Amino acid sequence: MDYDRKSTVSSFYGGRRGSFDALNHSQSPDYAPSGRPRDDASSFYADQQQRTSHDVVQRIVFFAAGRLEPLKGGRDEEEEAPEAQTWDVYADFNNAGPRYSTAFGIGQHQEAGCHQLPPPPPPPGAKTDGDADSAQTPVELVTVPALRPEWQLSETKHMTKLGRREIQSEKRQEKWKAWHRGETGLCGKWFTKRFLAFFAFGVAAIIGTILAITIPRVPGLSFNSSTPLIAATGSYNASIPTEFSRAPANFSFPAYADIQVDTISNIIPLTFNSISAQVWDSASNLQVGTGYFGSDTLPAASLPIIQVPLNFSYVASNDSDPTWNEWYNACKNTWLYAYGSRPGVNFRLILTMDISGLPITQSQSTQVDAAPCPIELSITAA
């Protein structure tokens, strides 16, 4: 401080110089002590220490008329003094630097009661010291391609027709699996697998019942045992000539086939679109006649009788033909026989029926034996 550097000698500060030189006198005069404290560490009082004889002799030999000023001894106490520490108001709280609080046994020279925890590990992806060092180093600049839209390959595929078809196919497969497990129905909650099974059974039962009622049955056919062939009348009789000729050998005449139809097995009336007939001689297996019956409806569960028009016609090489002779003998006049009994004819009748409600035509044939000829020739007929 300033008062440590000042001398109590008034002449040092430019005052009137007295007769006594305090610096050159071996014993200091009795001065009244000053009111300021004395600093023994000051260099001003270093000259009052015990000096050796060598110093006294040198002082006498080289005595100067002037006053010797106090020296600092070649060192500066201010520089050697410890450097004043800066006041840190956070020292008691941040666990860094000296502590000024002595609470809880913590002081400037005592070990802290608590220790600072180590820093937590950096989170994944956080920058580390290595990243910081690399950030300070020169960075090589490269050309980065422009960023494209953040679309995945699967997303771009869904935008195409093929992708949409695949998505729809997957949805149909998932829906089919869910329906097969009984989790959903074909129409929301309706038509589940169990319901559809009962529904299909019911529909099949209804369809079977309808078909059993509506589908026609093929009727049974039978001829009149006494007169299977009936002479034609009316316009049909007039449309076909009745004749037997020897040269050339042939015959022709109209007739009706008297047939009983069995429709007992049918529930609804039976409708014939058409019936075609063929007459074959049983002995020679030659066709001797044809016939056609048009559309007609027969009552159900009954035994109606129909008459199919037949046209008998045959041509032979001469009158010795067995087929011509057979039919000629059966149709001759009864007066030419002793007992008036003509022989019958044997033939097979084939009927092809087109029945409404059936997909294909149905055919039936019947054998007729010893059937009387439906016509009778005159006595004078050849």
Side-chain angles (χ1 to χ4, degrees), residues 171-211:
K171 290 182 178 179
R172 286 193 295 267
Q173 291 178 1
E174 292 296 331
K175 189 174 182 180
W176 168 255
K177 292 179 181 179
W179 179 83
H180 190 69
R181 293 191 294 263
E183 298 175 357
T184 184
L186 296 178
C187 301
K189 64 179 181 178
W190 301 101
F191 288 96
T192 59
K193 184 178 180 181
R194 182 178 180 182
F195 175 80
L196 188 62
F198 285 101
F199 179 79
F201 178 78
V203 170
I206 294 174
I207 293 176
T209 304
I210 294 174
L211 293 178

Side-chain angles (χ1 to χ4, degrees), residues 5 41 43 72-84:
R5 301 293 183 265
S43 62
K72 295 182 179 181
R75 60 190 179 87
D76 191 354
E77 292 82 2
E78 293 181 356
E79 294 179 358
E80 293 179 357
E83 183 180 357

